[in-house]
Amino acid sequence: GATLLSAELVAKRLGILRDLVPSVKSIAMLVNPTRPGVDAQKAQVQVGAQTLGLSLQILEASRAAEFEAAFKTASQYGALIIAPDSFFLTERTRIADLATRYRIVTMYELREYAEVGGLISYGPRAADLYRQGGTLTAQVLMGKKPADLPVLQPTKFELVINLKTAKILGLNISPSLLGIADELID
C-alpha cells in the first residue's frame, strides 16, 4: 500500500498557516464526516491547533450542497484547512471558488487545489503517489504477495502558493514563506 501521511503533516500545515497569517487565533477545518478515519484527522488537527494556541472549529460537508453553509461559517474564522478527502478533491474548483468568494485564507493538501485558484497547499505530489501505486501493482502482477510489500510513503513534499488568490485576498506573503515555496502560481 501507499500512504499520504496526511495526519502526520497537520502540524506542518498549521505552522505554514501561522506564518501566512501570524495574527490568526482561530481556525476551522472542513471534513467529510463519511470518510473513514475522519475522527483521527480531527484529533490530529486539534492537537496541532492546541500546540499553537489556536481554537479549532470542525465543519462538515459530505455533499456539494453543504459547501455553501460550511464556507459561510468558515468565514467567521481566521483560516480554514480542507481535510484530505477524494470527494473534496473532485470538487476542488468549487471549493477554491467558495474560499475566494468568502475571502477565507485556506490551506489544502494537494497542489491541484492551488492550480484551480486555491491559496496555498502543502503535501506530497499526486503524480509521485500514482507512480508508487503503479510500482506496487506491477510487483503484485509479477507474483509478489501484497502482504510482503512495504507500505510506501511520500518522500517529497511541496509548498505551492497561488499569488493571484493571495492578491485577491489582500495578503502580503512574507519573503521567507515565498522563499521556501516550491512553486508560485501567478
Side-chain angles (χ1 to χ4, degrees):
T3 179
L4 294 173
L5 293 176
S6 297
E8 293 82 353
L9 294 176
V10 165
K12 180 71 171 176
R13 287 190 190 104
L14 287 170
I16 292 169
L17 267 178
R18 173 54 67 78
D19 291 345
L20 185 62
V21 188
S23 63
V24 71
K25 300 285 185 234
S26 62
I27 62 169
M29 178 180 182
L30 181 65
V31 300
N32 179 349
T34 65
R35 182 184 191 270
V38 71
D39 290 333
Q41 275 183 335
K42 293 190 284 190
Q44 285 284 342
V45 173
Q46 184 64 51
V47 169
Q50 286 176 343
T51 300
L52 292 173
L54 299 170
S55 66
L56 174 68
Q57 175 67 40
I58 301 293
L59 306 174
E60 297 182 345
S62 58
R63 299 173 322 169
E66 297 170 329
F67 287 151
E68 187 79 33
F71 277 85
K72 187 174 183 177
T73 301
S75 68
Q76 301 168 29
Y77 296 88
L80 174 67
I81 292 182
I82 304 298
D85 185 84
S86 59
F87 167 61
F88 291 166
L89 184 60
T90 62
E91 294 286 336
R92 66 186 171 273
T93 301
R94 184 169 185 192
I95 288 171
D97 289 347
L98 284 165
T100 303
R101 187 173 76 190
Y102 280 100
R103 304 187 59 75
I104 305 168
V105 173
T106 307
M107 166 66 79
Y108 306 91
E109 175 189 34
L110 299 172
R111 71 176 295 115
E112 284 77 5
Y113 289 94
E115 290 172 345
V116 297
L119 175 62
I120 189 167
S121 67
Y122 180 76
R125 289 182 53 92
D128 293 342
L129 299 171
Y130 299 145
R131 263 191 292 290
Q132 286 181 336
T135 299
L136 290 172
T137 301
Q139 290 179 6
V140 169
L141 292 174
M142 290 187 297
K144 291 195 176 181
K145 295 179 187 175
D148 293 338
L149 297 174
V151 173
L152 299 177
Q153 298 178 2
T155 57
K156 183 176 188 301
F157 304 94
E158 61 182 355
L159 176 64
V160 180
I161 302 171
N162 188 312
L163 297 175
K164 180 180 175 186
T165 302
K167 185 176 180 179
I168 291 168
L169 297 176
L171 290 174
N172 290 317
I173 300 174
S174 71
S176 61
L177 195 53
L178 291 172
I180 64 168
D182 294 288
E183 185 175 347
L184 302 172
I185 297 173
D186 284 322

